[in-house]
Amino acid sequence: MDKVDRLGWAAGVSFNAYGLRIGVRVSDSSVFDRVCGFLPPGWKAVGSPVVDRLYSIRVGGEGPRPGMRRFNILYLDGGWIFRSLDLDEALEYFETNLHNWVALYAHRRVFVHAGVVGWRGKAVVIPGHSLCGKTTLVAELVRAGATYYSDEFAVLDAQGRAHPFPRPLGVREQGEVIQTRCSIEELGGVAGAKPLPVRMVVFSQYKQGASWRPRQLSEGQGVLALLNHARAVRLRPENTLAAMRQVARRSTMLRGARGEAREAAQFILDYLDNTLS
Amino acid sequence: MIMEDQTAPKARKEGILIQELSDEVLVYDLESHKAHCLNKAAAAIWEHCDGTNSIRDIALAMGSDLNAQADEAVVWHALDQLGKASLLEQRIPQPDGKPRLSRRELMRKAGIAAMIAIPVVTSILAPKALASATSCGSPCTPASAECVAIPNCTFCPSTGPNAGRCAMF
């Protein structure tokens, strides 16, 4: 750690996120504000320099000789974990690593890989692996008037409520892999601030030409399907199961292939209006 | 000397977490990290596996619990599934060596009316605590939708020269 400490750091912050103390420092103060944009939503700066995990970002750029470039290097505690000539790539890795660590070790919260929106005081959770069309469905629901909560993690508490994790959406064009960051304001939506009780869980997979005819899952089948997307079930199975049980008891859980997101989004909102009012 | 009754199955109670739902029971195995969902019939049978009840006792108790007819073939079917899921202290071999009936054969034998009493155990392997949520182990294409299942993957950048490809470090 001493070796990394001696590299020289221009700016930094200790912060608290979901009960975890994390530090981040950068070698170039001009990128500090950008780095802060990658911290977990809801982070709060703390005065103490004592942290559970310390990230250090050494910004690269032009080298000492013409045509020579220095790597952007990400250190975790005492060793480097990633380097790239592209700063954006390094910062994206930093965000992925940080958010996933928070998802694994967050105190009193259960993280599920899922999109979340709010509708008239109820939360809809849309679990799914990457590329299953989760963000597309979240974006469509937001365009239809739902409140944005997350496109990456459903953050659940012991009562089965979903808390906001409103990072910018990672939108992919159809057939593309590369994501473009899109703020919720650009979509014309608003981000939620208060936790909402989960009333619907939708397991959907995009399939070209499919029409949306979901089937309802039993409580137990729904919990099993949710567990498949939980981040820390092996580390904290008791908390994870308890939160999911609360979600399952109060939610309608649906599974099915969907075609265009608009059809599924309208179905979800109509269902919430008609059956859960 | 008291001989242990080989046809009195005993439910495993150590190293598992149990969550009771309205009509089902969820069991999490802390050793194998598998989660199992027992439907009402399977849960009723599992509950009566106390190491003293015979197969016949369990069938009678299950029938009474569910208010449905249940014969020993149904219990054997459940024991087979519970044994495979490691939810019994030890797997119980069927004495006469007859192959156990599949769910389809049971339904055919019992009739549709008895479907409610067909025990079903559904299992999943809990996902590993990966450090990465969105990544894959090969060039990232929409075809590899299940990319998190590919091992040795750490990160799939969406920007920079490696965009759309998994960067393995």
Side-chain angles (χ1 to χ4, degrees):
Chain A
M1 186 69 116
D2 287 351
K3 204 173 163 185
V4 178
D5 287 341
R6 283 198 297 273
L7 291 172
W9 303 102
V13 65
S14 302
F15 63 94
N16 190 310
Y18 298 96
L20 301 167
R21 285 201 164 194
I22 303 158
V24 57
R25 57 189 177 179
V26 293
S27 62
D28 180 345
S29 55
S30 68
V31 300
F32 183 65
D33 284 347
R34 272 186 73 195
V35 169
C36 289
F38 289 101
L39 303 186
W43 66 276
K44 284 192 179 73
V46 292
S48 169
V50 179
V51 291
D52 302 316
R53 195 169 173 95
L54 175 62
Y55 290 95
S56 310
I57 302 168
R58 189 159 172 78
V59 179
E62 295 301 317
R65 285 195 293 275
M68 195 177 172
R69 297 196 67 200
R70 286 201 181 102
F71 279 108
N72 300 280
I73 305 176
L74 175 65
Y75 296 89
L76 173 60
D77 299 331
W80 74 271
I81 54 169
F82 187 85
R83 65 178 192 173
S84 170
L85 290 171
D86 187 274
L87 180 61
D88 291 336
E89 190 180 359
L91 292 179
E92 194 184 343
Y93 185 85
F94 161 68
E95 183 192 38
T96 303
N97 191 291
L98 170 61
H99 286 196
N100 284 296
W101 185 74
V102 169
L104 285 179
Y105 295 102
H107 295 184
R108 297 187 298 276
R109 295 284 183 268
V110 170
F111 279 61
V112 178
H113 195 203
V116 184
V117 297
W119 180 254
R120 298 185 181 163
K122 300 152 193 157
V124 181
V125 173
I126 304 161
H129 293 302
S130 302
L131 300 165
C132 78
K134 172 173 92 244
T135 300
T136 311
L137 186 51
V138 167
E140 196 57 46
L141 285 161
V142 168
R143 284 191 200 100
T147 311
Y148 177 63
Y149 270 68
S150 175
D151 86 325
E152 183 71 5
F153 290 121
V155 182
L156 306 173
D157 63 20
Q159 288 85 48
R161 296 180 305 171
H163 292 250
F165 193 86
R167 62 162 217 167
L169 285 89
V171 179
R172 291 184 177 95
E173 293 300 319
Q174 196 163 3
E176 291 291 323
V177 174
I178 299 170
Q179 290 183 341
T180 324
R181 290 298 170 93
C182 174
S183 73
I184 193 63
E185 290 77 19
E186 285 174 70
L187 279 181
V190 288
K194 289 182 181 172
L196 295 179
V198 179
R199 289 290 181 264
M200 193 178 212
V201 183
V202 179
F203 300 92
S204 75
Q205 169 80 45
Y206 173 71
K207 193 176 168 191
Q208 199 170 11
S211 64
W212 174 241
R213 281 196 291 268
R215 69 180 176 88
Q216 192 163 344
L217 300 179
S218 69
E219 275 183 42
Q221 299 297 334
V223 172
L224 280 194
L226 265 176
L227 277 178
N228 224 1
H229 301 282
R231 305 309 297 167
V233 58
R234 290 192 182 215
L235 299 176
R236 288 175 285 120
E238 204 153 359
N239 296 355
T240 306
L241 282 178
M244 288 180 179
R245 182 187 175 200
Q246 292 297 330
V247 169
R249 280 174 63 183
R250 297 182 172 89
S251 303
T252 302
M253 303 177 115
L254 303 174
R255 165 174 272 164
R258 67 161 180 84
E260 293 311 308
R262 187 168 294 178
E263 182 194 11
Q266 200 53 54
F267 174 95
I268 290 166
L269 299 182
D270 288 348
Y271 191 94
L272 284 170
D273 281 341
N274 296 335
T275 61
L276 303 175
S277 53
Chain B
M1 192 172 75
I2 298 169
M3 293 287 285
E4 193 179 334
D5 185 350
Q6 291 296 309
T7 54
K10 192 170 181 189
R12 181 179 154 206
K13 296 291 176 196
E14 298 291 318
I16 53 173
L17 291 173
I18 301 169
Q19 287 272 345
E20 288 188 13
L21 305 171
S22 330
D23 276 335
E24 295 156 304
V25 170
L26 205 80
V27 185
Y28 187 87
D29 189 328
L30 295 165
E31 289 160 19
S32 66
H33 293 288
K34 284 182 179 169
H36 311 282
C37 174
L38 281 56
N39 75 350
K40 205 170 181 175
I45 290 171
W46 193 55
E47 194 188 320
H48 292 294
C49 291
D50 60 0
T52 59
N53 286 331
S54 67
I55 304 298
R56 187 174 165 72
D57 295 338
I58 294 172
L60 289 171
M62 179 209 171
S64 160
D65 286 354
L66 302 181
N67 200 18
Q69 270 199 324
D71 68 11
E72 293 182 22
V74 173
V75 177
W76 281 114
H77 177 73
L79 293 178
D80 189 35
Q81 293 183 76
L82 292 167
K84 280 180 187 160
S86 302
L87 295 179
L88 298 176
E89 292 279 334
Q90 60 182 96
R91 291 183 75 171
I92 312 284
Q94 201 165 344
D96 55 6
K98 276 188 207 164
R100 289 175 190 177
L101 298 179
S102 68
R103 185 157 41 138
R104 185 170 296 179
E105 288 165 333
L106 269 182
M107 280 164 63
R108 200 179 299 134
K109 189 179 166 196
I112 299 298
M115 266 176 72
I116 197 165
I118 304 287
V120 179
V121 178
T122 316
S123 307
I124 64 151
L125 181 63
K128 285 184 182 166
L130 292 173
S132 176
T134 54
S135 56
C136 72
S138 59
C140 240
T141 64
S144 63
E146 297 296 324
C147 58
V148 289
I150 299 172
N152 304 323
C153 166
T154 52
F155 175 55
C156 184
S158 65
T159 181
N162 293 316
R165 290 188 67 82
C166 181
M168 296 174 75
F169 300 95

